[in-house]
């Protein structure tokens, strides 16, 4: 068996962060596919007019991508503010009561399975090297050097949703009238198989159930919206 190298260990946190971003991107694209497909298929149930389909699809793409970006920005900003507040409080405590904080770090390391003597020595060395970073990592579970940027998160969500939404939008407006709906349904279901597979692999989950849930959810969304659109089109609304 190959032993993990120092570089593997050093970059383990960065790898985990990248995987989290990839999972978020897959989920964002999946949302874009399903929500935009629901809109354009619903409109297709009421009318075959290409301009109406394009307008509805673009409106759904823009509204969804902006909503995703704004929601992600607010969420990550709130998380970042909480982390910064916790770090500021920890910094004050380290300045005002360093011995109490050293004892606290020792006890936290003891709870992780170290003996009292080893925990004390480790706490002393960590404190001498970087007291705030040591407490942030062990006590708060925060890396002060890798706080998430809300602008980056918002941009990533915007792009992921947009990329996903483009598929059903193009599939509904590019083919000839008689082919629009089947091309869109097949394209969307194929894309949902891909995003379900990718999400499961990135999350180390079972692929089959994840793909099945994804496809059934997308098919249900398109079926419901198409039925509603057809009903509204039939009554002339």
């Amino acid at each position: 068996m190959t032993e993990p190298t120092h570089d593997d260990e050093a970059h383990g946190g960065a790898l985990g962060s990248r995987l989290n971003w990839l999972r978020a991107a897959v989920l964002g694209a999946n949302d874009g596919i399903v929500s935009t497909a629901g809109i354009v298929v619903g409109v297709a149930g009421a009318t075959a007019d290409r301009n109406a389909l394009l307008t509805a699809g673009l409106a759904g793409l823009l509204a969804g991508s902006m909503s995703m970006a704004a929601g992600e920005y607010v969420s990550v900003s709130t998380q970042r503010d909480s982390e910064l507040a916790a770090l500021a409080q920890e910094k004050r405590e380290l300045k005002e009561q360093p011995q109490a904080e050293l004892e606290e770090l020792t006890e936290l390391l003891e709870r992780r399975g170290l003996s009292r003597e080893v925990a004390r020595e480790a706490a002393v060395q960590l404190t001498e090297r970087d007291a705030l970073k040591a407490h942030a990592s062990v006590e708060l579970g925060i890396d002060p050097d890798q706080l998430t940027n809300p602008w980056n998160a918002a941009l990533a969500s915007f792009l992921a949703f947009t990329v996903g939404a483009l598929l059903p939008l193009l599939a509904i407006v590019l083919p000839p009238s008689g082919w629009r709906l089947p091309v869109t349904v097949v394209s969307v279901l194929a894309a949902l198989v891909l995003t379900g597979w990718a999400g499961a692999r990135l999350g180390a989950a079972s692929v089959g159930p994840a793909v099945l849930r994804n496809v059934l959810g997308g098919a249900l969304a398109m079926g419901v919206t198409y039925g509603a659109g057809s009903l509204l089109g039939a009554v002339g609304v």
Side-chain angles (χ1 to χ4, degrees):
M1 179 183 297
T2 303
E3 293 295 328
T5 65
H6 176 73
D7 287 341
D8 292 335
E9 296 172 355
H11 295 290
L15 176 60
S17 178
R18 286 196 295 271
L19 289 176
N20 286 335
W21 277 104
L22 285 172
R23 278 193 290 269
V26 169
L27 291 174
N30 195 78
D31 287 343
I33 293 168
V34 174
S35 60
T36 307
I39 291 172
V40 297
V41 168
V43 174
T47 178
D49 182 71
R50 191 190 300 269
N51 288 333
L53 293 170
L54 179 60
T55 300
L58 283 174
L61 184 155
L62 291 173
S65 59
M66 293 301 296
S67 176
M68 287 284 291
E72 192 70 12
Y73 177 82
V74 170
S75 175
V76 173
S77 293
T78 301
Q79 176 185 338
R80 184 183 176 90
D81 290 344
S82 298
E83 291 173 343
L84 289 173
L87 289 171
Q89 179 179 346
E90 197 64 39
K91 189 174 183 179
R92 286 195 302 270
E93 292 174 352
L94 284 167
K95 182 178 180 180
E96 295 170 359
Q97 41 190 342
Q99 289 305 313
E101 289 298 299
L102 179 61
E103 179 61 28
E104 180 182 37
L105 183 58
T106 301
E107 292 175 357
L108 289 170
L109 292 172
E110 277 189 273
R111 292 175 195 168
R112 297 192 174 190
L114 299 180
S115 67
R116 173 70 185 182
E117 293 75 15
V118 173
R120 184 69 175 188
E121 179 62 26
V124 169
Q125 291 191 25
L126 288 171
T127 300
E128 290 175 349
R129 180 174 298 176
D130 191 330
L132 179 60
K133 191 169 185 177
H135 280 265
S137 176
V138 177
E139 182 180 347
L140 304 175
I142 299 173
D143 185 346
D145 298 328
Q146 293 188 8
L147 297 181
T148 304
N149 187 320
W151 288 107
N152 290 344
L155 179 60
S157 292
F158 178 88
L159 292 176
F161 188 97
T162 299
V163 168
L166 282 173
L167 173 69
L169 175 59
L170 295 176
I172 202 73
V173 299
L174 293 182
S177 179
W179 286 91
R180 288 174 189 164
L181 191 59
V183 167
T184 301
V185 171
V186 171
S187 299
V188 166
L189 294 182
L192 292 178
V193 169
L194 179 60
T195 56
W197 174 85
R201 292 300 301 270
L202 289 170
S206 178
V207 171
V211 169
L212 183 61
R213 287 194 301 267
N214 220 29
V215 170
L216 289 178
L220 179 62
M222 288 188 289
V224 169
T225 54
Y226 181 76
S230 297
L231 180 61
L232 293 174
V235 298
V237 176

